[in-house]
Amino acid sequence: MKNLDDFKRVSLGVLPTPLYKLEHLSRETGRNLYIKRDDLTGVSLGGNKVRKLEFLLADALENQATTVLTAGGPQSNHAMLTAACAARLKMQSILMLKKRGVLEGGNLILDQLYGAEVEFIDTDSYDDVYAAMEARMEKLRAKGLNPYFIPVGGSVPLGCLGYVNCAREIAAQAEALGVKFGHIVSSTGSGGTYAGLTLGAKLYLPGTQSVGIGVCDDPFETIALDLMQGTAVLLESEVSFGPKDIKIHYQIGPGYAQPSPEGMAAVQRLARTEGILADPVYTGKGLAGLFQLLEEGYFPEGENILFVHTGGAGALFAVG
Ligand SMILES: *Cc1c(COP(=O)(O)O)cnc(C)c1O
């Protein structure tokens, strides 16, 4: 197997992020709940995409890209963080966003602040967005520019390495704290974070099961396996895994990026017990999933459970 440190990676985040016990929430639920603060990755409002972008933008730099293009919903945390990281690396960013949902405020304010060019595409389908990106890249090339394409969420094997790396970080922190995690729980939107953590758990956290809380109705069981396979190939790893390693629970509510009562209650609960912000689109629903599993008795008594906080606070300010 290759060493993770052999891959080109540009240092963008402030890592490692903190990992500690949620004392109040643990007392309240009678369980041992820990948090990995990837909402504090150190660029902009923080969040999981910074870890993926460390590998993706290293590849862009290697390819001497002038311009980074990516896609998402209008309030995409991934698009916003791509703009922030690209600015830091002196690359232009073009964000091609679906013209659906909240079209002002929130992350769109930050996109402007980071100097990104934002283009709205009036469609429900990413196929249309990707076709528009292809056309745009052709135009850029004709002008002598060198575009670099990052798909939705940065969920390609290279991006997943960011979360294999996070699992390695968790393993070191768990050892330093003298705790062993039975489960790690994270929100799943395009699958890369979950795939990276699940593969990373196989490599660095034996005995720890990774659970994903799906916030849209994509089939993450197959998406995650495909991404894990691709990432294992990149790593030249022979670690064995299969469908039994994938545990996905869904917390979609009325739909992707639409607040749910359970998600908003979880946002409020985390804010009021621990003073930590979660968001209505991803981490609130992720926590709601965790609380539901706790209530159902999913986790064995006495086990240590880690919630990986993937960020997203910008969406709290996108109301419309
Ligand atoms: C993108 C995102 C996720 C989901 O990560 P994926 O790798 O796309 O599954 C979770 N939380 C937040 C805040 C995000 O921005």
Side-chain angles (χ1 to χ4, degrees):
M1 177 175 150
K2 276 196 176 175
N3 189 325
L4 207 44
D5 300 321
D6 293 340
F7 288 86
K8 292 223 159 46
R9 177 177 154 204
V10 54
S11 173
L12 292 165
V14 180
L15 306 177
T17 56
L19 184 161
Y20 58 88
K21 189 168 184 185
L22 293 170
E23 296 290 352
H24 301 286
L25 208 52
S26 293
R27 214 167 300 131
E28 208 179 88
T29 55
R31 310 306 292 264
N32 303 322
L33 302 180
Y34 289 74
I35 193 165
K36 175 68 171 160
R37 296 290 306 271
D38 269 15
D39 57 323
L40 301 179
T41 46
V43 179
S44 189
L45 295 179
N48 58 342
K49 304 310 181 310
V50 174
R51 289 190 190 269
K52 298 178 178 186
L53 288 163
E54 287 197 334
F55 289 93
L56 293 165
L57 292 179
D59 190 43
L61 287 174
E62 177 84 353
N63 285 286
Q64 292 167 344
T66 56
T67 315
V68 182
L69 288 92
T70 196
Q75 293 296 336
S76 167
N77 301 308
H78 163 70
M80 182 276 283
L81 287 168
T82 300
C85 293
R88 185 154 159 204
L89 299 174
K90 298 200 183 313
M91 287 187 269
Q92 190 207 354
S93 58
I94 301 179
L95 314 178
M96 314 270 285
L97 309 178
K98 273 190 193 170
K99 197 174 183 180
R100 293 290 182 271
V102 185
L103 301 178
E104 58 188 337
N107 283 323
L108 285 167
I109 294 175
L110 302 182
D111 296 342
Q112 298 298 329
L113 192 59
Y114 294 123
E117 184 191 321
V118 172
E119 187 179 330
F120 287 116
I121 314 286
D122 193 355
T123 179
D124 287 312
S125 156
Y126 276 113
D127 291 344
D128 297 337
V129 178
Y130 288 146
M133 289 172 89
E134 259 316 316
R136 188 63 194 275
M137 287 196 284
E138 267 319 307
K139 282 195 193 145
L140 291 167
R141 287 190 197 102
K143 281 194 203 160
L145 293 166
N146 186 14
Y148 186 85
F149 168 82
I150 302 178
V152 173
S155 284
V156 287
L158 197 58
C160 293
L161 289 181
Y163 271 84
V164 176
N165 190 39
C166 181
R168 185 172 67 167
E169 213 175 278
I170 290 169
Q173 290 173 314
E175 193 182 323
L177 287 173
V179 295
K180 193 167 160 42
F181 295 115
H183 287 85
I184 52 178
V185 179
S186 60
S187 311
T188 309
S190 63
T193 300
Y194 178 73
L197 279 174
T198 308
L199 185 65
K202 280 262 144 190
L203 294 168
Y204 305 112
L205 294 161
T208 301
Q209 175 66 54
S210 163
V211 176
I213 308 293
V215 301
C216 59
D217 60 8
D218 291 343
F220 290 114
E221 293 81 359
T222 49
I223 292 170
L225 261 189
D226 286 349
L227 284 169
M228 284 170 73
Q229 247 133 29
T231 310
V233 167
L234 264 188
L235 282 165
E236 296 175 13
S237 163
E238 275 159 29
V239 65
S240 74
F241 54 84
K244 66 174 186 345
D245 296 307
I246 309 285
K247 305 277 183 224
I248 306 284
H249 298 267
Y250 287 87
Q251 268 287 333
I252 305 168
Y256 172 70
Q258 295 175 34
S260 67
E262 297 81 7
M264 292 315 292
V267 168
Q268 209 174 75
R269 188 172 183 187
L270 188 69
R272 294 181 184 184
T273 51
E274 300 285 351
I276 297 171
L277 296 177
D279 78 274
V281 181
Y282 291 102
T283 49
K285 289 179 181 175
L287 278 168
L290 169 62
F291 293 145
Q292 189 183 333
L293 292 174
L294 283 171
E295 266 167 39
E296 289 171 0
Y298 181 86
F299 306 106
E301 206 63 45
E303 185 181 275
N304 299 310
I305 301 155
L306 178 68
F307 180 70
V308 180
H309 190 327
T310 43
L316 287 169
F317 306 99
V319 278

